[in-house]
């Protein structure tokens, strides 16, 4: 039984052929070195390299100077050491920087921060002796219930594509491999081990693949991890269509395709289906017998008996060696990397500052004025909770983590004016607690302002991830209702003190309809990393002007979410049919005219931005767009200018509009900047299932500059 899992850039060059033939380039000199090494290897040595030989490594060939390949989670920090056999080391020397999670990183809408984030990860992975960092996770946020939404980035493939490239380059410029995961459609944790995902070719090409394609062709990612689930009846990790035809065929991926931990279930099909490295199968009861892996003795026997060509194994070994050469693992040395430095913390803080989203600010209750606010009621168990070790395989053990309560204390001179009440208990099946609510209400009444810290939590017990967990691997949220009686608490606190600010943690939307109408201020923070408490306090007190924007549409209720309303979730236990098709997130809300609680791309600032007239010019089918944006307020701040394209008339049904460009622009008070965008054919095309390719139909297109998908500021029609 599988153990419970806690679990160059090929010279940076990407050669594009025609639309269906692209290629990650390879270096002939390196290929020759690989051939030379492989000539000297026995079959047993080759087989040793294509399966795990401990919880996170696969074997090398020491007599030829080939080291083990060492991997580590994960997407927002280097994971604590789990030893060779999953026994947590607990030596206390395995700290790393706890960066904000994927959804918070993406909320910055700032690809430069993606790079800085990746560079921190790469540097720390190198310091900790890792070769591959198991991130970024980029599965589409299809349903608000997915337990791993916090690790992922967005519902929108364009936004993901822009952020993932920076992240990967940041990691790989440190000489470490990134691993983009989970390829593909691991959009729910319910039955993740084998649920069969059925979707149209168009949904695959327009929604679920583009992030991975950008990771391979623009990011030059060295490794890809397959998803646990099946796609059209075959496991994703060795799905002939996905791996052989698309990833390695159409995109010319020359790196290594590894399994998720325990995602391989057979030998022959998996070898032929394109998986290169089997990890985490841990077949049998402990002590773990790595020789029992499907790609170990069974694969060896298959080649020896002639049932499997050795060339199939050779291709996998070549890919692994290629990654090793690119990351200076053979006959080369690496720079040391750095670990838990103040510079790394500063990057984490910057990401948190730009990733925290101000959703509502009625009557400008925020920012709080330090000199006039003397009494604050801090309420809610999320105010003084550490999150780094939560959530599953992405756990991190930082040297410190600043909670919101600590962050607020650091900003306020009069400590005596701060009260803290827990408000709700994070405990198995905990319901509203009238005593705790009464205490919170009392404190709120006696303070000028109340700040409630609630939302999702990773789980009440980190060692049992999926037990009563909301943002965790192996489990989805049961519904969109806030747990532990938080609705009652928040309602009562707002009634007691109208100057209440609600701060929501977690990987995505929750149903806040019971109290949203009477709340003055709401913030969404995701999980903001080890400096999150400081970043949050600085936003609350106005030292930092918020600039995060939602990367997903926030439905009012679960029944409004497209995966639930027009799609299927979580399927019938065997199959889940993505009947919502391309209508994921705002593509659904906008097209079907359903009003979300908060729109995709929404996020407020303490200043205001005015958009000028949108100008366009067309040359050789390329549309140049120009729009001036002015900060009309009195504070400097940043706006994410979003560019959407609407196909006015089409032969197929298309979304109302789609994101095709964005830029985060920093403006001092009164300052104006001109923002330009270049829209090429891919901004106007859809995937035509008859021709099996992206096509652009002639006609009119609306070019829309917006502050969110529902806040359109300026638009113009072009004819192409
Ligand atoms: C997760 C992966 C992770 C792996 C190794 C799996 O359970 O799905 O994301 O990288 O474990 O810990």
């Amino acid at each position: 039984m599988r153990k419970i899992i806690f679990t160059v850039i090929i010279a940076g060059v990407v050669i594009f052929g025609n639309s269906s033939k692209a290629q990650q380039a390879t270096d002939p000199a390196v290929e020759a070195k690989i051939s030379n090494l492989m000539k000297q290897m026995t079959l047993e040595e080759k087989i040793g390299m294509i399966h795990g030989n401990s919880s996170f490594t696969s074997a090398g060939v020491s007599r030829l100077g080939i080291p083990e390949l060492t991997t580590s989670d994960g997407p927002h920090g280097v994971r604590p050491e789990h030893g060779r056999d999953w026994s947590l080391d607990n030596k206390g020397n395995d700290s790393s920087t706890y960066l904000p999670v994927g959804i918070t990183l993406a909320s910055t809408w700032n690809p430069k921060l993606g790079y800085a984030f990746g560079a921190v990860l790469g540097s720390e992975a190198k310091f900790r002796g890792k070769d591959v960092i198991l991130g970024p996770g980029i599965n589409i946020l299809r349903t608000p219930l997915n337990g791993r939404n916090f690790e992922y980035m967005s519902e929108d493939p364009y936004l993901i594509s822009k952020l993932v490239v920076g992240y990967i380059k940041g990691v790989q410029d440190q000489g470490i491999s990134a691993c983009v995961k989970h390829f593909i459609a691991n959009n729910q944790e319910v039955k993740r081990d084998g649920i069969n995902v059925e979707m149209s070719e168009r949904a695959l090409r327009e929604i679920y693949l583009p992030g991975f394609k950008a990771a391979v062709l623009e990011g030059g990612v060295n490794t890809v991890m397959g998803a646990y689930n099946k796609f059209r009846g075959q496991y994703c990790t060795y799905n002939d269509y996905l791996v052989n035809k698309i990833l390695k065929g159409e995109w010319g991926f020359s790196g290594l395709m590894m399994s998720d931990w325990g995602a391989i279930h057979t030998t022959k099909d998996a070898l032929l289906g394109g998986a290169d490295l089997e990890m985490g199968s841990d077949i049998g009861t402990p002590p773990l017998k790595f020789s029992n892996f499907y790609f170990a003795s069974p694969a060896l026997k298959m080649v020896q008996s002639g049932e499997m060509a050795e060339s199939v194994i050779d291709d996998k070994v070549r890919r692994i060696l290629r990654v090793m050469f690119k990351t200076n693992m053979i006959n080369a040395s690496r720079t040391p990397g750095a670990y838990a430095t103040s510079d790394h913390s500063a990057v984490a803080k910057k990401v948190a500052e730009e990733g925290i989203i101000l959703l509502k600010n009625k009557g400008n209750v925020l920012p709080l004025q330090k000199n006039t606010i003397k009494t604050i009621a801090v309420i809610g168990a999320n105010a003084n909770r550490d999150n780094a070790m939560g959530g599953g395989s992405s756990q991190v053990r930082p040297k410190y983590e600043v909670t919101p309560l600590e962050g607020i204390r650091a900003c306020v001179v009069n400590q005596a004016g701060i009260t803290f009440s827990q408000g709700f208990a994070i405990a198995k099946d905990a319901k509203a607690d009238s005593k705790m609510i009464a205490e919170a209400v009392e404190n709120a009444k006696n303070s000028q302002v109340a700040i409630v810290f609630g939302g999702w939590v990773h789980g009440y017990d980190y060692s049992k991830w999926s037990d009563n967990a909301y943002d965790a691997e192996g489990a989805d949220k049961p519904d969109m209702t806030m747990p532990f009686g938080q609705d009652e608490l928040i309602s009562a606190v707002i009634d007691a003190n109208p100057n209440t600010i609600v701060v929501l943690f977690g990987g995505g939307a929750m149903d806040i309809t019971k109290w949203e109408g009477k709340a003055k201020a709401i913030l969404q923070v995701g999980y903001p990393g080890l400096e999150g408490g400081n970043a949050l306090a600085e936003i609350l007190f106005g030292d930092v002007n918020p600039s995060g924007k939602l990367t997903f549409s926030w439905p009012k209720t679960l029944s409004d979410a497209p995966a639930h309303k027009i799609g299927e979730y979580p399927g019938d236990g065997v199959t889940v049919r993505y009947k919502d098709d391309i209508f994921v997130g705002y593509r659904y809300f906008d097209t079907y005219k359903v009003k979300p609680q908060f729109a995709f791309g929404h996020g407020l600032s303490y200043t205001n931005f005015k958009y000028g007239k949108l100008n366009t010019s067309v040359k050789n089918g390329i549309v140049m767009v120009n729009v001036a944006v002015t900060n009309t307020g009195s504070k400097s701040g940043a706006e994410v200018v979003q560019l959407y394209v609407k196909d006015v008339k089409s032969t197929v049904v298309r979304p109302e509009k789609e994101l095709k460009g964005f830029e985060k622009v920093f403006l001092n008070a009164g300052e104006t900047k001109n923002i330009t965008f270049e829209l090429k054919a891919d901004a106007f095309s859809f995937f035509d299932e008859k021709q099996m390719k992206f096509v652009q139909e002639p006609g009119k297109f609306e070019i829309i500059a917006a502050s969110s998908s529902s806040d359109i500021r300026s638009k113009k029609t072009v004819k192409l």
Side-chain angles (χ1 to χ4, degrees):
M1 209 189 75
R2 190 160 56 82
K3 268 205 111 174
I4 299 206
I5 301 166
F6 266 101
T7 356
V8 96
I9 305 168
I10 304 183
V13 182
V14 170
I15 300 167
F16 290 94
N18 61 42
S19 63
S20 64
K21 260 281 163 247
Q23 186 71 41
Q24 275 189 331
T26 49
D27 176 345
V30 171
E31 295 302 305
K33 283 185 195 163
I34 293 174
S35 301
N36 183 38
L37 274 176
M38 286 179 62
K39 262 188 231 140
Q40 303 170 62
M41 288 169 71
T42 64
L43 176 61
E44 285 77 3
E45 285 169 337
K46 291 179 192 166
I47 292 286
M49 288 186 68
I50 64 166
H51 64 85
N53 68 345
S54 85
S55 34
F56 282 100
T57 60
S58 55
V61 184
S62 55
R63 72 180 179 89
L64 297 175
I66 304 171
E68 282 187 338
L69 184 76
T70 303
T71 66
S72 170
D73 288 296
H76 47 262
V78 188
R79 192 177 175 178
E81 295 299 329
H82 280 270
R84 296 189 72 88
D85 60 356
W86 293 111
S87 55
L88 201 64
D89 269 5
N90 274 329
K91 285 195 196 113
N93 59 354
D94 57 359
S95 296
S96 63
T97 300
Y98 171 38
L99 292 151
V101 298
I103 204 166
T104 311
L105 170 64
S107 308
T108 67
W109 291 63
N110 187 343
K112 288 196 190 102
L113 285 181
Y115 183 89
F117 183 113
V120 170
L121 262 178
S123 170
E124 300 207 347
K126 194 159 52 171
F127 183 92
R128 291 263 306 273
K130 313 298 180 192
D131 306 310
V132 182
I133 190 86
L134 303 173
I138 63 161
N139 292 99
I140 292 282
L141 269 55
R142 175 177 177 256
T143 158
L145 300 188
N146 182 10
R148 291 185 88 172
N149 279 349
F150 75 98
E151 280 185 70
Y152 303 148
M153 290 182 171
S154 176
E155 68 186 23
D156 183 73
Y158 181 84
L159 178 57
I160 293 173
S161 302
K162 292 295 152 200
L163 281 152
V164 79
V165 170
Y167 178 127
I168 289 166
K169 288 190 169 164
V171 171
Q172 296 196 167
D173 283 355
Q174 294 292 318
I176 298 295
S177 293
C179 179
V180 66
K181 66 189 188 183
H182 307 89
F183 187 71
I184 64 156
N186 186 178
N187 308 106
Q188 64 186 54
E189 290 296 282
V190 173
K191 300 259 175 205
R192 70 168 174 171
D193 281 350
I195 192 90
N196 175 39
V197 176
E198 292 288 341
M199 68 171 81
S200 72
E201 190 66 20
R202 187 171 170 205
L204 176 70
R205 300 285 178 164
E206 290 187 17
I207 308 290
Y208 294 93
L209 283 182
F212 289 97
K213 187 174 180 183
V216 170
L217 288 173
E218 291 168 51
V221 75
N222 288 343
T223 82
V224 177
M225 185 190 291
Y228 279 123
N229 47 284
K230 290 179 183 163
F231 172 82
R232 297 185 187 155
Q234 259 182 350
Y235 281 104
C236 288
T237 315
Y238 39 98
N239 186 295
D240 183 57
Y241 185 55
L242 293 176
V243 184
N244 289 332
K245 303 261 174 1
I246 296 179
L247 177 69
K248 294 182 176 178
E250 283 179 34
W251 303 344
F253 174 64
S254 62
L256 100 88
M257 168 76 186
M258 73 175 80
S259 74
D260 199 342
W261 270 231
I264 286 189
H265 306 274
T266 185
T267 303
K268 190 172 180 179
D269 285 354
L271 286 173
L272 293 175
D276 299 316
L277 175 61
E278 177 191 10
M279 293 301 292
S281 302
D282 300 355
I283 302 163
T285 46
L288 307 175
K289 291 196 187 63
F290 297 101
S291 58
N292 286 350
F293 274 34
Y294 297 101
F295 281 13
S297 306
L300 180 66
K301 284 190 193 123
M302 226 171 243
V303 179
Q304 282 166 339
S305 70
E307 198 186 342
M308 182 66 56
E310 190 167 341
S311 58
V312 175
I313 310 297
D314 284 351
D315 177 59
K316 302 180 192 311
V317 173
R318 178 172 288 278
R319 287 169 179 275
I320 295 168
L321 286 171
R322 214 175 260 150
V323 169
M324 288 183 162
F325 273 105
K326 276 201 277 178
T327 53
N328 295 322
M329 292 175 65
I330 299 174
N331 291 335
S333 59
R334 282 182 177 159
T335 52
Y339 140 94
T341 64
S342 53
D343 283 356
H344 292 181
S345 285
V347 171
K349 181 151 180 260
K350 185 82 183 120
V351 173
E353 286 172 1
E354 289 198 27
I356 290 171
I357 307 164
L358 179 60
L359 293 172
K360 186 171 180 182
N361 192 19
K362 212 168 142 198
N364 291 338
V365 60
L366 285 173
L368 301 173
Q369 303 305 321
K370 275 188 201 163
N371 39 3
T372 53
I373 299 285
K374 306 278 184 231
T375 51
I376 305 172
V378 175
I379 295 165
N382 277 356
N384 70 342
R385 184 174 166 81
D386 287 339
N387 292 303
M389 284 293 275
S393 60
S394 64
Q395 60 185 191
V396 182
R397 198 200 324 261
K399 286 198 167 155
Y400 67 89
E401 180 175 346
V402 182
T403 64
L405 183 57
E406 288 164 345
I408 289 172
R409 287 212 161 111
C411 273
V412 171
V413 183
N414 175 21
Q415 297 294 317
I418 300 176
T419 57
F420 172 65
S421 26
Q422 205 194 324
F424 59 92
I426 301 174
K428 192 162 173 52
D429 303 325
K431 302 265 177 319
D433 182 316
S434 52
K435 259 174 126 178
M436 281 193 205
I437 294 179
E439 185 198 315
V441 163
E442 196 50 31
N443 284 340
K445 266 192 199 150
N446 296 328
S447 304
Q448 286 166 285
V449 45
I451 315 177
V452 187
F453 293 86
W456 301 121
V457 297
H458 281 309
Y460 73 100
D461 177 353
Y462 294 155
S463 64
K464 300 181 194 139
W465 301 345
S466 45
D467 216 357
N468 225 44
Y470 297 89
D471 280 330
E473 205 175 317
D476 284 352
K477 301 164 187 80
D479 50 46
M480 257 177 70
T481 306
M482 292 172 72
F484 317 127
Q486 293 185 66
D487 283 327
E488 290 91 322
L489 170 76
I490 297 171
S491 260
V493 172
I494 298 176
D495 290 344
N497 186 336
N499 286 329
T500 293
I501 295 143
V502 183
V503 180
L504 299 170
F505 275 71
M510 50 216 88
D511 183 339
I512 58 173
T513 50
K514 292 196 186 72
W515 48 264
E516 187 276 332
K518 58 183 181 182
K520 278 193 181 161
I522 306 173
L523 291 109
Q524 154 73 9
V525 299
Y527 294 99
L530 86 178
E531 283 285 340
N534 284 334
L536 189 52
E538 287 170 13
I539 285 176
L540 292 171
F541 288 101
D543 297 331
V544 169
N545 193 351
S547 62
K549 298 259 188 179
L550 281 177
T551 66
F552 56 90
S553 311
W554 188 302
K556 286 192 172 149
T557 62
L558 186 61
S559 58
D560 278 349
H564 300 259
K565 191 150 188 179
I566 58 169
E568 214 177 76
Y569 167 90
D572 58 16
V574 178
T575 297
V576 52
R577 293 167 194 84
Y578 286 12
K579 294 183 193 155
D580 38 333
D581 203 52
I582 55 166
F583 293 102
V584 175
Y586 69 89
R587 286 170 169 76
Y588 165 78
F589 287 94
D590 286 0
T591 312
Y592 287 73
K593 312 270 180 270
V594 177
K595 212 171 170 314
Q597 186 76 61
F598 301 111
F600 172 80
H602 170 72
L604 303 171
S605 164
Y606 295 149
T607 188
N608 295 309
F609 300 99
K610 195 171 151 262
Y611 288 51
K613 223 173 119 227
L614 195 139
N615 298 309
T616 54
S617 62
V618 186
K619 203 173 166 195
N620 300 331
I622 295 176
V623 181
M624 296 302 298
V625 183
N626 178 280
V627 62
V629 182
T630 306
N631 179 347
T632 55
S634 54
K635 271 192 160 76
S636 57
E639 166 71 331
V640 178
V641 180
Q642 300 158 45
L643 201 71
Y644 296 87
V645 172
K646 172 185 172 136
D647 190 350
V648 175
K649 204 169 149 212
S650 165
T651 55
V652 297
V653 53
R654 295 196 69 178
E656 169 68 18
K657 62 181 181 299
E658 294 180 276
L659 185 74
K660 295 297 173 185
F662 66 87
E663 184 159 333
K664 188 162 197 174
V665 51
F666 295 82
L667 294 167
N668 292 322
E671 193 183 3
T672 299
K673 275 188 190 158
N674 268 315
I675 316 296
T676 53
F677 299 93
E678 193 184 78
L679 297 174
K680 296 194 179 138
D682 57 356
F684 306 100
S685 319
F686 62 88
F687 190 82
D688 181 346
E689 294 190 331
K690 286 195 207 99
Q691 300 185 57
M692 281 296 281
K693 64 177 192 191
F694 278 91
V695 297
Q696 179 185 342
E697 288 179 341
K700 287 183 185 158
F701 294 87
E702 256 177 34
I703 316 292
I704 301 161
S707 183
S708 81
S709 73
S710 70
D711 185 1
I712 294 172
R713 299 297 183 87
S714 201
K715 60 181 178 182
K716 193 166 171 198
T717 303
V718 293
K719 208 164 166 241
L720 295 173

